[in-house]
Amino acid sequence: MKMNNYAVADEYKAKFVVPYLGIEFVGWINFVGALIALITIIVIIGFPLSLILGANAFLIAFGIAALIVLFAVVYNNEINNETGRTKFSEFYYVKLKRYRLVYSSSGEKRYLERKKKGGVFLAYK
């Protein structure tokens, strides 16, 4: 009876690296998400530009889309050492959901919900 060890294959995460730019995608979801975002942005920007600029509009849209996706991937891969969150998730909590940033007694960052009428807030770990 022969046994196979599949533990290495189960724990393996695909990693895609763009060598000169220093960008790496860990897992398939980030890579596929970047490709879908790239195609979507090219279509959304390229079609109106093609009415104005003609045939070269999709090349310009590809350049703009590549810069937007590059910025999003770099911003998402940058991790804050204090909280362990990515810069993108910090932007989401602080700017979009309007959470308040407070420091606990041990000096750690905590995010509290917006003030509600009559609410008492306690920061837990």
Side-chain angles (χ1 to χ4, degrees):
M1 188 169 186
K2 187 176 179 184
M3 298 292 288
N4 294 322
N5 185 4
Y6 294 106
V8 174
D10 289 339
E11 294 173 3
Y12 175 75
K13 285 187 176 180
K15 184 183 275 189
F16 303 99
V17 178
V18 180
Y20 293 110
L21 300 177
I23 298 173
E24 63 182 46
F25 297 99
V26 178
W28 285 98
I29 292 184
N30 290 334
F31 183 71
V32 172
L35 285 179
I36 290 172
L38 186 70
I39 292 168
T40 305
I41 294 170
I42 288 172
V43 170
I44 290 172
I45 295 175
F47 182 70
L49 279 180
S50 68
L51 298 175
I52 298 169
L53 300 175
N56 292 331
F58 283 100
L59 291 175
I60 295 169
F62 176 77
I64 293 169
L67 287 175
I68 291 171
V69 170
L70 175 71
F71 176 74
V73 168
V74 168
Y75 200 64
N76 193 31
N77 285 342
E78 201 172 319
I79 295 175
N80 188 349
N81 292 333
E82 291 180 19
T83 59
R85 295 180 184 220
T86 63
K87 295 284 187 177
F88 196 70
S89 65
E90 277 191 12
F91 174 78
Y92 173 73
Y93 282 111
V94 173
K95 299 295 183 191
L96 298 179
K97 289 192 86 171
R98 304 261 188 219
Y99 278 23
R100 291 183 297 139
L101 177 65
V102 296
Y103 286 92
S104 65
S105 61
S106 60
E108 297 176 357
K109 280 185 175 180
R110 300 281 180 240
Y111 296 99
L112 300 177
E113 290 185 26
R114 287 187 266 177
K115 286 185 179 179
K116 295 179 183 172
K117 208 170 195 177
V120 177
F121 293 98
L122 299 173
Y124 293 103
K125 184 172 183 180

